Amino acid sequence: MNPSLTRILPFAKELLQTAVSPTDTVVDATAGNGHDTVFLAGIAGHVHSFDIQPEAIHATRSKAEGKGFSNVTLHHMGHENAIQVVPGEIGAAIFNLGYLPGGDHSITTQGETTWLAVQGLLTRLKRHGLIVLVVYHGHEEGKIERNYIEEQVKTLDKRAYGVLKYQFVNRPDSPYILCIERLL
């Protein structure tokens, strides 16, 4: 029996598919193990993928090349620099907050730099484009970042942006989605 409610990661991909056109430039703000970069490479014109960890860049490069994608540019730098290196308008961006699965758990995304990245990308986001943040908050740093980001998204102008929170409320420590849509 299939569940009626869509799980978090498949729902994040569904959201991105609704916003991204085949000619769009998109951003994977946290390359991680390369899964989102490869997914985006299959639905967008070009993907800019960011990570501060060399092993994440290597894993993402291997996955993208293994699938035959040549429409990916990898950036070994923090996502807060995305606005400085990604040209033009973007159709969407995805962030997987927290730490690299299988990596050093002491290296985590941080609320301040994540918010800088989100703010910059919002200035280039096309109308009805999306920024999807998958929030992993089952660890101490994740809780700090979650609190910071949730306070920041509340400040966005409700006429210009819609912010959705998709969460299983009976699983309080499970990941959830914050999705920002540019309305104007």
Side-chain angles (χ1 to χ4, degrees), residues 54-88:
E55 58 268 31
I57 296 297
H58 175 73
T60 302
R61 178 178 289 112
S62 293
K63 273 200 179 55
E65 288 175 355
K67 296 283 187 180
F69 289 119
S70 59
N71 60 336
V72 173
T73 301
L74 298 170
H75 302 278
H76 183 204
M77 62 177 67
H79 50 224
E80 68 274 15
N81 300 300
I83 195 64
Q84 297 162 4
V85 297
V86 177

Side-chain angles (χ1 to χ4, degrees), residues 56-181:
I57 296 297
H58 175 73
T60 302
R61 178 178 289 112
S62 293
K63 273 200 179 55
E65 288 175 355
K67 296 283 187 180
F69 289 119
S70 59
N71 60 336
V72 173
T73 301
L74 298 170
H75 302 278
H76 183 204
M77 62 177 67
H79 50 224
E80 68 274 15
N81 300 300
I83 195 64
Q84 297 162 4
V85 297
V86 177
E89 183 178 71
I90 65 164
I94 187 164
F95 292 72
N96 277 286
L97 305 181
Y99 51 78
L100 175 64
D104 183 347
H105 291 196
S106 70
I107 302 171
T108 67
T109 54
Q110 302 291 309
E112 294 81 7
T113 53
T114 295
W115 187 244
L116 283 172
V118 169
Q119 286 179 297
L121 294 170
L122 285 173
T123 68
R124 299 265 186 83
L125 192 62
K126 73 178 184 180
R127 187 168 185 227
H128 299 298
L130 301 177
I131 295 179
V132 176
L133 298 110
V134 182
V135 181
Y136 291 86
H137 59 110
H139 55 98
E140 194 55 39
E141 287 298 320
K143 287 174 179 37
I144 294 167
E145 185 173 29
R146 171 201 65 202
N147 294 341
Y148 185 85
I149 295 299
E150 283 205 12
E151 286 306 309
Q152 299 308 311
V153 295
K154 290 176 187 175
T155 68
L156 291 173
D157 180 347
K158 66 182 177 184
R159 294 167 301 211
Y161 302 101
V163 181
L164 165 79
K165 184 175 183 179
Y166 186 78
Q167 180 178 24
F168 289 98
V169 297
N170 64 339
R171 299 174 194 160
D173 285 335
S174 68
Y176 67 92
I177 292 172
L178 290 171
C179 182
I180 305 168
E181 178 186 14

